[in-house]
Amino acid sequence: MSCTKVRKVQGNDCFQRINFLYQISKQTVEINPALSSHYGNLIINLAKKNVLKIHPDIKRQICKKCKCVLNNKSSTVKLRTKNKSKYIQKICKTCGTRKNFPADKNKDYKVWLEKPDGVIEVIKAAE
Ligand SMILES: [Zn+2]
């Protein structure tokens, strides 16, 4: 392990790197979930280290346990109803972790089910 002092990285640089890692993670998840997890971990660590907020669109596509990208192939999506409110449940096929998202807002619901896989995410800088 190297102990070089961490260079202060410009926010933009980091966002670009996170975006890049996210693209790779997304592309590798179907072939090699473990590799996708590795990139997911790098994203989380990079964000933590630089105190950055990961764009919610990306954050919710990363499994909170194994950190691999959750897409149509690597996770099971279910629409559930609890106490009259709908929510979307994503189950990671790699580690079995369930993630719930409220589906009350029609907009969010649409985003989930209609977003094509190939869309390149844009990371927005935290306000
Ligand atoms: Zn997982």
Side-chain angles (χ1 to χ4, degrees), residues 37 63-68 70 91-97:
S37 301
C63 173
K64 61 182 170 186
K65 196 179 174 193
C66 72
K67 310 288 192 294
C68 71
L70 302 172
I91 304 161
C92 173
K93 282 184 185 169
T94 311
C95 72
T97 298

Side-chain angles (χ1 to χ4, degrees), residues 10 13 18 22 30 45 55 57 71 74 77 81 85 88 90 99-100 104 107 110-111 118 121 126:
Q10 291 286 312
D13 265 14
I18 288 174
Y22 171 67
E30 285 164 36
N45 289 339
H55 191 274
D57 277 353
N71 67 10
S74 64
V77 181
T81 314
S85 59
I88 295 161
K90 273 207 156 192
K99 217 176 177 187
N100 296 330
D104 292 331
K107 203 180 133 208
K110 247 186 168 178
V111 165
E121 304 289 342

Side-chain angles (χ1 to χ4, degrees), residues 16-78:
Q16 268 172 21
R17 252 202 277 174
I18 288 174
N19 206 3
F20 179 67
L21 290 169
Y22 171 67
Q23 297 307 322
I24 306 174
S25 184
K26 208 173 179 177
Q27 279 162 27
T28 50
V29 71
E30 285 164 36
I31 315 154
N32 190 343
L35 197 60
S36 177
S37 301
H38 172 70
Y39 288 118
N41 270 308
L42 288 180
I43 292 171
I44 308 285
N45 289 339
L46 201 62
K48 263 190 200 161
K49 208 154 81 181
N50 296 282
V51 203
L52 297 173
K53 275 185 192 158
I54 301 169
H55 191 274
D57 277 353
I58 290 182
K59 207 170 180 184
R60 61 181 176 179
Q61 281 181 63
I62 295 178
C63 173
K64 61 182 170 186
K65 196 179 174 193
C66 72
K67 310 288 192 294
C68 71
V69 171
L70 302 172
N71 67 10
N72 299 339
K73 298 255 171 62
S74 64
S75 66
T76 311
V77 181
K78 286 179 183 168

